[in-house]
Coordinates of all heavy atoms in Angstrom, one line a residue:
R1 N 0.8 -1.2 0.0 CA 0.0 0.0 0.0 C 0.9 1.3 0.0 O 0.5 2.3 0.6 CB -1.0 0.0 1.2 CG -1.9 -1.1 1.2 CD -2.8 -1.1 0.0 NE -3.8 -2.2 -0.1 CZ -4.5 -2.5 -1.1 NH1 -4.4 -1.8 -2.2 NH2 -5.4 -3.5 -1.1
A2 N 2.0 1.2 -0.7 CA 2.9 2.4 -0.8 C 2.3 3.4 -1.7 O 2.8 4.6 -1.7 CB 4.3 2.0 -1.2
L3 N 1.4 3.0 -2.6 CA 0.8 3.9 -3.6 C -0.6 3.4 -3.9 O -0.9 2.2 -3.8 CB 1.6 4.1 -4.9 CG 1.6 2.9 -5.8 CD1 1.9 3.4 -7.2 CD2 2.7 1.9 -5.4
D4 N -1.4 4.4 -4.3 CA -2.8 4.0 -4.8 C -2.7 4.1 -6.3 O -2.1 5.0 -6.9 CB -3.8 5.0 -4.3 CG -4.1 4.8 -2.8 OD1 -3.9 3.7 -2.3 OD2 -4.4 5.8 -2.1
L5 N -3.4 3.2 -7.0 CA -3.5 3.1 -8.4 C -4.9 3.5 -8.9 O -5.9 3.0 -8.3 CB -3.1 1.8 -9.0 CG -1.6 1.4 -8.9 CD1 -1.4 0.0 -9.3 CD2 -0.8 2.3 -9.8
H6 N -5.0 4.2 -9.9 CA -6.3 4.5 -10.6 C -6.9 3.1 -11.1 O -6.1 2.2 -11.4 CB -6.1 5.4 -11.8 CG -7.4 5.9 -12.4 ND1 -8.2 5.2 -13.2 CD2 -8.1 7.1 -12.2 CE1 -9.2 5.8 -13.6 NE2 -9.2 7.0 -13.0
P7 N -8.2 3.0 -11.0 CA -8.8 1.7 -11.4 C -8.4 1.2 -12.8 O -8.2 0.0 -13.1 CB -10.3 2.0 -11.4 CG -10.5 3.0 -10.3 CD -9.2 3.9 -10.4
I8 N -8.1 2.2 -13.7 CA -7.7 1.8 -15.1 C -6.3 1.2 -15.0 O -6.1 0.1 -15.6 CB -7.7 3.1 -16.0 CG1 -9.1 3.6 -16.3 CG2 -7.0 2.8 -17.3 CD1 -9.1 4.9 -17.0
A9 N -5.4 1.8 -14.3 CA -4.0 1.2 -14.2 C -4.1 -0.1 -13.5 O -3.4 -1.1 -13.8 CB -3.1 2.2 -13.5
S10 N -4.8 -0.1 -12.3 CA -4.9 -1.3 -11.5 C -5.4 -2.5 -12.3 O -4.9 -3.6 -12.3 CB -5.8 -1.1 -10.3 OG -5.9 -2.2 -9.5
H11 N -6.5 -2.3 -13.1 CA -7.1 -3.4 -13.8 C -6.2 -3.8 -15.0 O -6.1 -5.0 -15.4 CB -8.5 -3.1 -14.3 CG -9.2 -4.3 -14.7 ND1 -10.3 -4.3 -15.6 CD2 -9.1 -5.6 -14.4 CE1 -10.8 -5.5 -15.7 NE2 -10.0 -6.3 -15.0
F12 N -5.5 -2.9 -15.6 CA -4.6 -3.3 -16.7 C -3.5 -4.2 -16.1 O -3.2 -5.3 -16.7 CB -3.9 -2.0 -17.3 CG -2.7 -2.4 -18.1 CD1 -2.9 -2.9 -19.4 CD2 -1.4 -2.3 -17.6 CE1 -1.8 -3.3 -20.2 CE2 -0.3 -2.7 -18.4 CZ -0.5 -3.2 -19.7
F13 N -2.9 -3.9 -15.0 CA -1.9 -4.7 -14.4 C -2.5 -6.1 -14.0 O -1.8 -7.1 -14.3 CB -1.3 -4.1 -13.2 CG -0.4 -2.9 -13.5 CD1 -0.6 -1.7 -12.8 CD2 0.5 -3.0 -14.4 CE1 0.3 -0.6 -13.0 CE2 1.4 -1.9 -14.7 CZ 1.2 -0.7 -14.0
R14 N -3.7 -6.1 -13.5 CA -4.3 -7.4 -13.1 C -4.5 -8.3 -14.4 O -4.2 -9.5 -14.4 CB -5.7 -7.2 -12.5 CG -5.6 -6.7 -11.0 CD -6.9 -6.2 -10.6 NE -7.9 -7.3 -10.5 CZ -9.2 -7.0 -10.3 NH1 -9.7 -5.8 -10.3 NH2 -10.1 -8.1 -10.3
F15 N -5.0 -7.6 -15.4 CA -5.3 -8.4 -16.7 C -4.0 -8.9 -17.3 O -3.9 -10.0 -17.7 CB -6.0 -7.4 -17.7 CG -6.2 -8.0 -19.0 CD1 -7.1 -9.1 -19.2 CD2 -5.4 -7.6 -20.1 CE1 -7.2 -9.7 -20.5 CE2 -5.6 -8.1 -21.4 CZ -6.5 -9.2 -21.6
W16 N -2.9 -8.0 -17.3 CA -1.7 -8.4 -17.9 C -1.1 -9.6 -17.1 O -0.5 -10.5 -17.7 CB -0.7 -7.2 -17.9 CG 0.5 -7.6 -18.7 CD1 1.7 -7.9 -18.1 CD2 0.7 -7.6 -20.1 NE1 2.7 -8.2 -19.1 CE2 2.0 -8.0 -20.3 CE3 -0.2 -7.4 -21.2 CZ2 2.5 -8.2 -21.6 CZ3 0.3 -7.5 -22.5 CH2 1.7 -7.9 -22.7
L17 N -1.1 -9.5 -15.8 CA -0.5 -10.6 -15.0 C -1.3 -11.9 -15.2 O -0.8 -13.0 -15.1 CB -0.5 -10.2 -13.5 CG 0.5 -9.1 -13.2 CD1 0.3 -8.5 -11.8 CD2 1.9 -9.7 -13.3
W18 N -2.7 -11.8 -15.4 CA -3.5 -13.0 -15.7 C -3.0 -13.6 -17.0 O -2.9 -14.8 -17.1 CB -5.0 -12.5 -15.7 CG -5.9 -13.6 -16.1 CD1 -6.3 -14.7 -15.3 CD2 -6.7 -13.8 -17.3 NE1 -7.2 -15.5 -15.9 CE2 -7.5 -14.9 -17.2 CE3 -6.8 -13.0 -18.5 CZ2 -8.3 -15.3 -18.2 CZ3 -7.6 -13.4 -19.5 CH2 -8.4 -14.6 -19.3
L19 N -2.7 -12.8 -18.0 CA -2.3 -13.3 -19.3 C -0.9 -13.9 -19.2 O -0.6 -14.9 -19.9 CB -2.3 -12.2 -20.3 CG -3.5 -11.8 -21.0 CD1 -3.2 -10.6 -22.0 CD2 -4.1 -12.9 -21.8
T20 N 0.0 -13.3 -18.4 CA 1.4 -13.7 -18.6 C 2.0 -14.5 -17.4 O 3.1 -15.0 -17.5 CB 2.3 -12.4 -18.7 OG1 2.0 -11.6 -17.6 CG2 1.9 -11.7 -20.0
T21 N 1.3 -14.6 -16.3 CA 1.8 -15.3 -15.1 C 0.9 -16.2 -14.4 O 1.3 -17.1 -13.6 CB 2.3 -14.3 -14.0 OG1 1.2 -13.6 -13.5 CG2 3.3 -13.3 -14.6
A22 N -0.4 -16.1 -14.7 CA -1.5 -16.9 -13.9 C -1.4 -16.6 -12.5 O -1.9 -17.4 -11.6 CB -1.3 -18.4 -14.2
Q23 N -0.9 -15.4 -12.1 CA -0.8 -15.1 -10.7 C -2.0 -14.5 -10.1 O -2.6 -13.6 -10.7 CB 0.4 -14.1 -10.5 CG 0.7 -13.7 -9.1 CD 1.2 -14.9 -8.3 OE1 2.2 -15.5 -8.6 NE2 0.4 -15.4 -7.3
V24 N -2.5 -15.0 -9.0 CA -3.7 -14.5 -8.3 C -3.2 -13.4 -7.3 O -2.3 -13.7 -6.5 CB -4.4 -15.6 -7.6 CG1 -5.6 -15.0 -6.8 CG2 -4.9 -16.6 -8.6
T25 N -3.8 -12.2 -7.4 CA -3.3 -11.1 -6.5 C -3.3 -11.5 -5.1 O -2.4 -11.2 -4.3 CB -4.2 -9.9 -6.8 OG1 -4.1 -9.5 -8.1 CG2 -3.8 -8.7 -5.9
K26 N -4.4 -12.1 -4.6 CA -4.5 -12.4 -3.2 C -3.4 -13.4 -2.7 O -2.8 -13.2 -1.6 CB -5.9 -13.0 -2.9 CG -6.1 -13.3 -1.4 CD -7.5 -13.7 -1.1 CE -7.8 -13.8 0.4 NZ -9.2 -14.2 0.7
E27 N -3.1 -14.3 -3.6 CA -2.1 -15.3 -3.2 C -0.7 -14.6 -3.1 O 0.0 -14.8 -2.1 CB -2.0 -16.4 -4.2 CG -3.3 -17.3 -4.2 CD -3.2 -18.4 -5.3 OE1 -2.3 -18.4 -6.1 OE2 -4.2 -19.2 -5.4
W28 N -0.3 -13.8 -4.2 CA 1.0 -13.2 -4.2 C 1.1 -12.2 -3.0 O 2.1 -12.2 -2.3 CB 1.2 -12.4 -5.5 CG 2.6 -12.1 -5.8 CD1 3.5 -12.7 -6.6 CD2 3.3 -10.9 -5.2 NE1 4.7 -12.1 -6.6 CE2 4.6 -11.0 -5.7 CE3 3.0 -9.9 -4.3 CZ2 5.6 -10.1 -5.4 CZ3 4.0 -9.0 -4.0 CH2 5.3 -9.1 -4.5
T29 N 0.1 -11.4 -2.8 CA 0.1 -10.4 -1.7 C 0.2 -11.1 -0.3 O 1.0 -10.7 0.5 CB -1.2 -9.6 -1.7 OG1 -1.3 -8.9 -3.0 CG2 -1.2 -8.6 -0.6
S30 N -0.6 -12.2 -0.1 CA -0.5 -12.9 1.2 C 0.8 -13.4 1.4 O 1.4 -13.3 2.6 CB -1.6 -14.0 1.2 OG -2.9 -13.5 1.0
I31 N 1.4 -14.1 0.5 CA 2.7 -14.8 0.6 C 3.8 -13.7 0.9 O 4.7 -13.9 1.7 CB 3.0 -15.6 -0.6 CG1 2.0 -16.8 -0.7 CG2 4.5 -16.2 -0.5 CD1 2.1 -17.5 -2.0
H32 N 3.7 -12.6 0.2 CA 4.8 -11.6 0.4 C 4.6 -10.9 1.7 O 5.6 -10.7 2.4 CB 4.7 -10.5 -0.7 CG 5.8 -9.6 -0.7 ND1 7.1 -9.9 -1.0 CD2 5.9 -8.3 -0.2 CE1 7.9 -8.9 -0.8 NE2 7.2 -7.9 -0.3
R33 N 3.4 -10.6 2.2 CA 3.2 -10.1 3.5 C 3.7 -11.0 4.6 O 4.3 -10.6 5.6 CB 1.8 -9.7 3.7 CG 1.3 -8.5 2.9 CD -0.2 -8.3 3.0 NE -0.7 -7.1 2.3 CZ -2.0 -6.8 2.1 NH1 -2.9 -7.7 2.6 NH2 -2.3 -5.7 1.5
K34 N 3.5 -12.3 4.4 CA 3.9 -13.3 5.4 C 5.5 -13.3 5.4 O 6.1 -13.4 6.5 CB 3.4 -14.6 5.1 CG 3.8 -15.7 6.1 CD 3.1 -17.0 5.9 CE 3.5 -18.0 6.9 NZ 2.7 -19.3 6.8
H35 N 6.1 -13.2 4.2 CA 7.5 -13.1 4.1 C 8.1 -12.0 5.0 O 9.1 -12.2 5.7 CB 8.0 -13.0 2.7 CG 9.4 -12.5 2.5 ND1 10.5 -13.2 2.9 CD2 9.9 -11.4 1.9 CE1 11.6 -12.6 2.6 NE2 11.2 -11.4 2.0
H36 N 7.5 -10.8 4.9 CA 8.0 -9.7 5.8 C 7.7 -10.0 7.2 O 8.5 -9.6 8.1 CB 7.3 -8.4 5.3 CG 8.0 -7.8 4.2 ND1 8.9 -6.8 4.3 CD2 7.9 -8.0 2.8 CE1 9.4 -6.4 3.1 NE2 8.7 -7.1 2.2
A37 N 6.5 -10.5 7.5 CA 6.2 -10.7 8.9 C 7.0 -11.8 9.6 O 7.3 -11.8 10.8 CB 4.7 -11.1 9.1
K38 N 7.5 -12.8 8.8 CA 8.2 -13.9 9.3 C 9.6 -14.0 8.7 O 10.2 -15.1 8.6 CB 7.5 -15.2 9.1 CG 6.0 -15.2 9.6 CD 5.9 -15.2 11.1 CE 4.5 -15.3 11.6 NZ 4.4 -15.2 13.0
C39 N 10.2 -12.9 8.3 CA 11.4 -12.9 7.5 C 12.6 -13.7 8.2 O 12.9 -13.4 9.4 CB 11.8 -11.5 7.2 SG 13.0 -11.4 5.8
E40 N 13.2 -14.6 7.5 CA 14.3 -15.4 7.9 C 13.9 -16.3 9.1 O 14.8 -16.8 9.8 CB 15.5 -14.6 8.3 CG 15.8 -13.4 7.4 CD 16.1 -13.7 6.0 OE1 15.9 -14.8 5.6 OE2 16.4 -12.7 5.2
Q41 N 12.7 -16.5 9.4 CA 12.2 -17.4 10.4 C 11.7 -18.7 9.8 O 11.5 -18.8 8.5 CB 11.1 -16.8 11.3 CG 11.5 -15.5 12.0 CD 10.4 -14.8 12.7 OE1 9.5 -15.5 13.2 NE2 10.4 -13.5 12.7
A42 N 11.4 -19.7 10.6 CA 11.0 -21.0 10.1 C 9.7 -20.9 9.2 O 9.5 -21.6 8.3 CB 10.7 -22.0 11.2
E43 N 8.8 -19.9 9.5 CA 7.6 -19.7 8.7 C 7.8 -18.9 7.5 O 6.8 -18.7 6.7 CB 6.5 -19.1 9.6 CG 6.1 -20.0 10.8 CD 5.1 -19.3 11.7 OE1 3.9 -19.2 11.2 OE2 5.4 -18.9 12.8
D44 N 8.9 -18.3 7.2 CA 9.2 -17.5 6.0 C 8.9 -18.4 4.8 O 9.6 -19.5 4.7 CB 10.6 -17.0 6.0 CG 10.8 -16.0 4.9 OD1 10.2 -16.1 3.8 OD2 11.7 -15.1 5.1
P45 N 8.1 -18.1 3.9 CA 7.8 -19.0 2.8 C 8.9 -19.3 1.8 O 9.0 -20.3 1.2 CB 6.6 -18.2 2.0 CG 6.0 -17.3 3.0 CD 7.2 -16.9 3.9
H46 N 9.9 -18.3 1.8 CA 11.0 -18.5 0.8 C 12.3 -18.0 1.2 O 13.1 -17.4 0.4 CB 10.6 -18.0 -0.6 CG 9.9 -16.6 -0.5 ND1 10.7 -15.5 -0.1 CD2 8.7 -16.2 -0.7 CE1 9.9 -14.4 -0.2 NE2 8.6 -14.8 -0.5
S47 N 12.7 -18.0 2.5 CA 14.0 -17.6 2.9 C 15.1 -18.5 2.5 O 15.0 -19.7 2.8 CB 14.0 -17.4 4.4 OG 15.4 -17.1 4.8

């Protein structure tokens, strides 16, 4: 939440990521937030 995006920009990025990565926003966001919360600890998803 370091910046807010206009709905046009936000939806373009969502659509493009759907086309090119199959990445679900909620999954990526959740995993990254957990990485920061548990960084370098046993629960860190990818340390």
Side-chain angles (χ1 to χ4, degrees):
R1 298 299 179 189
L3 71 152
D4 290 328
L5 288 172
H6 189 281
I8 292 175
S10 177
H11 197 203
F12 166 77
F13 288 133
R14 285 167 65 192
F15 174 70
W16 186 261
L17 290 167
W18 178 69
L19 277 179
T20 59
T21 68
Q23 185 64 64
V24 176
T25 300
K26 184 173 185 177
E27 293 177 357
W28 197 100
T29 300
S30 301
I31 294 168
H32 186 74
R33 287 173 177 169
K34 183 174 182 178
H35 162 63
H36 275 266
K38 307 293 182 180
C39 197
E40 322 299 7
Q41 301 174 35
E43 294 178 72
D44 188 332
H46 46 67
S47 169

